[in-house]
Amino acid sequence: MSARYRTAGFKGYAVKFSPFTDRLLAAATSANFGLVGNGRLCILNTPVSGTQGLQPRQQYDTQDGLFDLSWSEVHENQLVTASGDGSIKLWDITLGHHPVASWKEHSRETMSVEWNYIAKTSFLSSSWDGSIKLWAPNEPRSLRTFNDHVGCVYTGAWAPRQTDQFASCGEDKTVKLWSVNEPNAKPIASFSGHVDQVVSLDWNKYSPNMFVTSSTDRTIKVWDIRNPRSNVSMFGPFEFPVRRVKFSPFSPNFVATAGYDMSASIWDIRNGSVVFVHDAHSEFVFGVDWSFFHPGMIASCSWDEQIHVFNAPIPK
């Protein structure tokens, strides 16, 4: 199965399947490559077996570009978005065209948002202003701010088993491990090894000490938090950098990537082999995600103004 939807006039930056239903997909998009202009949050119905095409359900236009999104872990119809004006907005897809809540504390672009899928009551944001912030959807201000990176923080990602821990990566070539309970809001570990900006990070859901990163140094690295001094393995350097990495929710061995080579690929981290390539995009691929309900179902979004949903045959 392969299904497509055109986000006419808007470049895709992030795409996420709903954790509550196998029929909903959301995408964060930006006009003019996110440099200036509006953003659009697209809510799509994914195709049922035997039908083609992604069907638009709802869309929300914003005054600035959208760079990321995260579905709520407590309310099946809500999600948060990260915007180029530094704001974070909470949306309810059953309501009209305005957010149900909005926060603006970041002084530059908000690059990532992620709901805590274990504790479920809070979410993270990271920004070009060098900070990571902890939020609760019912609170008017952030709960805590974490400052230790120099330059943009591209991703903040919750640990899969520890409800208080998360990792972040950034322009300063480092990955940092944090606890929201650390009194001084300083990292509890730092990982160095990339020689350029670290732009994406994701945790292995089955090996909770393991995470994967990608960098503009054109490599992918796998790490163990018990050994901050050295990565476990490295793949690359490639011809083009990988923009986003995402571990499979069904296996500890496979990572999906979205890259500047205009493809979405599946990697086996046991041996560094590519087991599947989706090469139907015609521009940089910025977003990739796995379905929580259908093993091998993957969504991708690209600067070619296309969202694709496809099935990748994953070996054992």
Side-chain angles (χ1 to χ4, degrees):
M1 183 204 76
S2 179
R4 302 183 182 187
Y5 178 77
R6 182 164 184 251
T7 56
F10 291 84
K11 314 298 183 183
Y13 271 88
V15 62
K16 304 284 177 68
F17 283 101
S18 166
F20 288 98
T21 171
D22 64 349
R23 295 296 171 227
L24 277 181
L25 183 70
T29 69
S30 297
N32 304 308
F33 303 96
L35 297 174
V36 65
N38 298 340
R40 178 170 289 170
L41 171 63
C42 301
I43 310 297
L44 306 172
N45 290 320
T46 58
V48 296
S49 179
T51 64
Q52 294 295 313
L54 294 161
Q55 300 301 316
R57 168 174 169 161
Q58 183 68 282
Q59 67 182 35
Y60 301 92
D61 289 342
T62 57
Q63 291 185 333
D64 215 309
L66 297 181
F67 295 134
D68 199 17
L69 66 97
S70 182
W71 288 92
S72 167
E73 292 288 342
V74 292
H75 194 305
E76 63 180 328
N77 295 315
Q78 293 187 351
L79 65 167
V80 289
T81 54
S83 182
D85 63 2
S87 69
I88 299 160
K89 292 179 171 59
L90 178 68
W91 307 87
D92 189 312
I93 64 173
T94 65
L95 301 178
H97 292 276
H98 300 285
V100 295
S102 183
W103 303 268
K104 192 176 187 304
E105 293 185 18
H106 287 299
S107 60
R108 294 194 64 187
E109 296 93 328
T110 307
M111 295 303 294
S112 79
V113 283
E114 183 171 277
W115 215 281
N116 190 325
Y117 48 86
I118 304 299
K120 302 185 183 299
T121 55
S122 60
F123 61 90
L124 293 172
S125 64
S126 72
S127 169
W128 266 98
D129 66 13
S131 72
I132 306 136
K133 289 179 178 286
L134 176 69
W135 308 84
N138 58 342
E139 295 292 337
R141 289 174 292 277
S142 62
L143 304 179
R144 296 199 75 182
T145 300
F146 305 88
N147 288 298
D148 200 68
H149 282 284
V150 178
C152 177
V153 185
Y154 286 102
T155 304
W158 291 103
R161 303 280 175 86
Q162 303 293 329
T163 60
D164 66 311
Q165 290 187 8
F166 65 92
S168 60
C169 64
E171 184 181 358
D172 59 8
K173 311 173 189 176
T174 70
V175 175
K176 298 181 187 293
L177 181 66
W178 312 75
S179 170
V180 298
N181 298 323
E182 173 63 30
N184 298 318
K186 293 298 181 182
I188 56 179
S190 185
F191 303 78
S192 299
H194 283 293
V195 296
D196 210 334
Q197 303 181 68
V198 188
V199 294
S200 183
L201 178 153
D202 193 45
W203 292 85
N204 191 319
K205 311 305 184 291
Y206 295 87
S207 300
N209 294 312
M210 183 181 292
F211 63 88
V212 62
T213 56
S214 67
S215 166
T216 51
D217 66 11
R218 297 178 289 119
T219 66
I220 296 170
K221 294 192 175 189
V222 179
W223 307 80
D224 189 310
I225 63 173
R226 296 166 295 188
N227 182 20
R229 295 186 178 183
S230 178
N231 53 273
V232 175
S233 56
M234 183 186 84
F235 312 128
F238 315 113
E239 184 177 2
F240 299 98
V242 167
R243 183 59 185 85
R244 196 177 296 261
V245 287
K246 196 79 175 178
F247 263 111
S248 168
F250 292 99
S251 168
N253 301 319
F254 298 103
V255 172
T257 63
Y260 290 98
D261 64 352
M262 307 184 196
S263 75
S265 302
I266 310 298
W267 293 76
D268 187 332
I269 64 168
R270 292 171 294 187
N271 53 29
S273 64
V274 178
V275 299
F276 181 82
V277 177
H278 177 75
D279 58 2
H281 287 290
S282 58
E283 255 290 0
F284 299 154
V285 183
F286 264 63
V288 69
D289 197 33
W290 302 80
S291 167
F292 297 100
F293 295 91
H294 302 290
M297 179 180 282
I298 295 168
S300 59
C301 67
S302 165
W303 278 9
D304 66 4
E305 304 179 3
Q306 292 277 344
I307 300 169
H308 294 175
V309 173
F310 54 92
N311 285 317
I314 308 298
K316 297 297 184 183

